[in-house]
Amino acid sequence: MGEKILMKGNEAIGEAAIRAGCRFYFGYPITPQSELTAYMAKKLLKMEDAAFVQAESEIAAINMVYGAAATGVRTMTSSSSPGISLKQEGISYIACAELPCVIVNMQRGGPGLGSIQPGQADYFQATKGGGHGDYHLIVLAPSSVQELVDLTMNAFDLADKYTNPVMILGDGLIGQMMEAVEFKERKKISLPDKERWALTGCKGREKNYIVPFNLDPYEMEKTNFKIQKKYNELKEKEVRYETINLDNADLIVVAYGTVARIIKTVIDNAKKEGINIGLIRPITLFPFPDKIIAETSEKINKFLVVEMSLGQMVEDVKLAVNGRVEVNFYGRVGGVIPTQSEILNEIKKYLK
Amino acid sequence: MAKIVVDEERCKGCELCIPVCPKHIIVMSENFNKKGYHSAKQINPEECTGCAFCAMTCPDVAIEVFK
Amino acid sequence: MKKVFERPKSLTKDPFTYCPGCHHGIAHRLVAEALDDFGVREKTIGVCPVGCSVFAYVFFDCDMICAAHGRAPAVATGIKKSKPDSIVFTYQGDGDLASIGTAEIVHAANRGENITVIFINNAIYGMTGGQMAPTTLVGQVTQTSPYGRDPKTMGYPIKVAEMLSTLKGVAYISRVALSKPAYILKAKKAIKKAFQTQVEGKGFSLVEVLSTCPTNWGLSPIEANKWLEENMIPYFPLGEFKTPEEVS
């Protein structure tokens, strides 16, 4: 307790997952997250009542997660952008079947095979569903290795609580970065019983079955409504964000993950030049922190969204602002990380 | 002594039980069941040997055999 | 008189939704009888595919899950890894297993997953209305091979049992048919042996079941049985391709 360990982001996720009780990992190697797959192999293959499988594909890996999740255990998979695209079919099934699991996406530059450097261009895919049908993942966006650890642990609780897949949406930078982390003791929370749906063999009860389909459209619509209700509850109860310097800001930046880290330095540098910048950093990308953005837009009339994409989260910020003020955008893509000076120069454009 | 009991409502009238009966004592009923199929029925039950070929061939598990 | 043939306990009372004469019902019964014989119904988890037998979850009276098209062996892997004491089977058609799910079946077999696969080969896609399957015979007319399967452009029917039996990780593979009582009795033995392989922890087992699809073949159930025997069995020979004794 209290001990700080220097760990690489990808490996820290693995350790956090194991400490959160995850014993079943299914994955496929892809840069820049392969260290996580290797870490899980090293640990889980030596543990009792645990399993690690290097699957034949991302598609197989997510379907192994589907199978394991169906038995009620804590399970996860991880990948990076192109691999996450392959998993979408399985994720849609898991969301429809209302099973808990954790999926890590250490994003890289896209589209296509893209690059192996960091990116944030999977925001739409992560937050709007990604696969077919009306569903959402709970999407958590860490911006430090410590937060990666904390959110990974939270992810398993959220998945169990809402019987919904949770995505940790990081990027290549945060996965590869080494920082000191602490694995804090967590408060025990009460979570819903899995007995009523888990496939464990029907001894002493009626059979359980998990079928993510219904050929009766009215029944299928009911399934949709039921799932949608959880999303509304998430919007009420689970929104998380960090704010800095909102009160007297000349301009508000909205950014998440790696970019938000850079913005924090930009804020310090700008201060030296007498420029006051505020930051809203969504930690949950779904549910999205639209209320704080809306409230802030009533006080401050300059917004800039910075992403490692060509404009994805900015759409949600615009929806939250709802036309009250102008929302500007700056982004770099393909694996390029925006520098502090280029962001500050961009900010200055709007303060003239 | 043997006999078969056909669950008429399960039967879909596929007729697969008819050629496998070594005694040729299964025929299609002239009546329709609720699904609109002619179901199988046994005639001359005294000839039944209880071989169960009909039951094991039935894709709807609609036949029980007594011996 | 004593009841000598009855519905197995591992089947629910629900009537099958399959077309008249379709062999799925016979295959379901044989699987259910194997579960009854080994007394494992209460610790069995079945994985149904996408296709006509997507409804298998209704008919088997054990815990069931429906996998995405072709992914049943991966789902079964996840189940077996997390519940190693359970008996896990997949029930898959030819489009599911031998086309869209080729990677999943090959690698589950190669890992020697201790699961049982029931592979229904009826040489056609049933639920989507009679399109060409990877196991459709050369010259066979389907919705998507309207002039007959031409191997020059459509390849040859895949022999799954033979192909998978080359893998060292596989414990038991056999091919059976359901077109007459003698074959059905052999099929029952094979399916039982496949589950026994799993119960004894010997590894991956698969039974390829040659079946009819009277509706999409455009034949009566009786004609379909004859077509299977005259056309499918010569190309897909019956028998055991690998038995657990051979596992080193």
Side-chain angles (χ1 to χ4, degrees), chain A residues 200-237:
Chain A
T200 53
C202 62
K203 196 173 167 65
R205 60 160 167 79
E206 293 282 294
K207 71 171 183 182
N208 281 342
Y209 51 87
I210 292 171
V211 286
F213 81 100
N214 202 314
L215 295 189
D216 178 342
Y218 296 98
E219 289 301 316
M220 196 60 223
E221 189 182 43
K222 273 187 209 162
T223 302
N224 273 273
F225 288 153
K226 182 173 168 240
I227 295 172
Q228 207 64 36
K229 221 173 134 186
K230 291 196 300 197
Y231 303 145
N232 294 335
E233 195 184 334
L234 280 162
K235 286 174 192 168
E236 284 297 310
K237 295 181 184 165

Side-chain angles (χ1 to χ4, degrees), chain C residues 169-190:
Chain C
V170 168
Y172 180 75
I173 291 200
S174 112
R175 184 185 286 122
V176 299
L178 302 174
S179 54
K180 62 183 182 190
Y183 289 155
I184 294 170
L185 285 168
K186 280 190 184 158
K188 181 176 164 71
K189 277 190 192 140

Side-chain angles (χ1 to χ4, degrees), chain C residues 214-236:
Chain C
T215 300
N216 287 302
W217 290 0
L219 299 173
S220 75
I222 291 171
E223 289 167 341
N225 274 352
K226 192 162 169 259
W227 193 89
L228 183 150
E229 288 176 12
E230 286 174 359
N231 297 280
M232 287 184 78
I233 294 178
Y235 186 85
F236 297 113

Side-chain angles (χ1 to χ4, degrees), chain A residues 14 18 25-27 34-47 50-54:
Chain A
I18 290 168
Y25 174 93
F26 307 92
S34 297
E35 296 86 354
L36 172 51
T37 312
Y39 190 86
M40 294 311 258
K42 196 166 84 179
K43 295 283 173 172
L44 294 179
L45 289 172
K46 291 274 183 196
M47 287 173 89
F52 164 88
V53 179
Q54 177 170 331

Side-chain angles (χ1 to χ4, degrees), chain B residues 2-64:
Chain B
K3 68 163 184 178
I4 65 167
V5 174
V6 180
D7 183 338
E8 281 177 34
E9 293 309 322
R10 280 186 193 279
C11 179
K12 292 180 188 145
C14 74
E15 304 186 13
L16 287 180
C17 53
I18 292 175
V20 301
C21 176
K23 298 290 178 185
H24 311 292
I25 53 170
I26 303 175
V27 296
M28 300 312 288
S29 160
E30 281 169 15
N31 301 329
F32 293 99
N33 67 11
K34 281 182 194 148
K35 290 197 200 94
Y37 297 116
H38 294 289
S39 68
K41 69 169 185 184
Q42 194 179 36
I43 49 166
N44 306 330
E46 63 284 356
E47 288 185 47
C48 180
T49 63
C51 70
F53 283 4
C54 54
M56 69 179 75
T57 306
C58 176
D60 288 286
V61 201
I63 302 175
E64 286 184 333

